[in-house]
Amino acid sequence: MTIDACIAHAIHTDLDIIEALPHVHDIPFEELETYVEKFVLRVQESMYNVIIDKGDRYLRSRDAAGLCATCLEAGVSLPPHMLLKMCQTIMQLAEMDAKFILDTEDGKTLYYVKMTLTV
């Protein structure tokens, strides 16, 4: 998978908006969607930039904790345990050769996945 796709999937599965933005309850309802969307895009862009600039060695060595620490140091503003989970997801997905097929009617995403298994 591409780094963009890995990050997007990690955000989709591991990002908890309420925990990441505890003040979200104070945002007026009319502004909430835009605020959250901007936050998610900022997180995705920040993580992408960090991984492209400094993350290659962590991806190659499968060091999710090192990638997480690098993201935190670079200013990715997420709780450390949440960011670590996202980095672990990115590590898992970065090894796969996957192609998006479709979103099902019940909200699931279908991918074609090709991977190598070591037994």
Side-chain angles (χ1 to χ4, degrees), residues 102-110:
L102 62 94
D103 286 324
T104 63
E105 290 180 12
D106 61 346
K108 295 186 174 128
T109 305
L110 179 66

Side-chain angles (χ1 to χ4, degrees), residues 25-39:
H25 299 290
D26 300 331
I27 298 170
F29 183 74
E30 306 80 38
E31 300 171 20
L32 189 58
E33 182 179 1
T34 304
Y35 186 84
V36 170
E37 185 176 328
K38 285 180 182 177
F39 175 76

Side-chain angles (χ1 to χ4, degrees), residues 42-96:
R42 191 171 61 246
V43 166
Q44 184 167 8
E45 183 179 343
S46 298
M47 289 187 74
Y48 178 82
N49 290 335
V50 170
I51 291 171
I52 293 301
D53 292 343
K54 303 173 185 174
D56 187 52
R57 68 180 178 160
Y58 301 110
L59 289 174
R60 280 197 240 163
S61 64
R62 299 186 38 78
D63 181 4
L67 182 60
C68 177
T70 301
C71 287
L72 287 170
E73 189 176 274
V76 177
S77 58
L78 291 174
H81 70 280
M82 186 183 307
L83 185 57
L84 177 59
K85 178 67 177 127
M86 291 172 68
C87 289
Q88 291 168 336
T89 298
I90 290 167
M91 293 293 165
Q92 292 169 353
L93 296 174
E95 289 187 338
M96 283 194 258

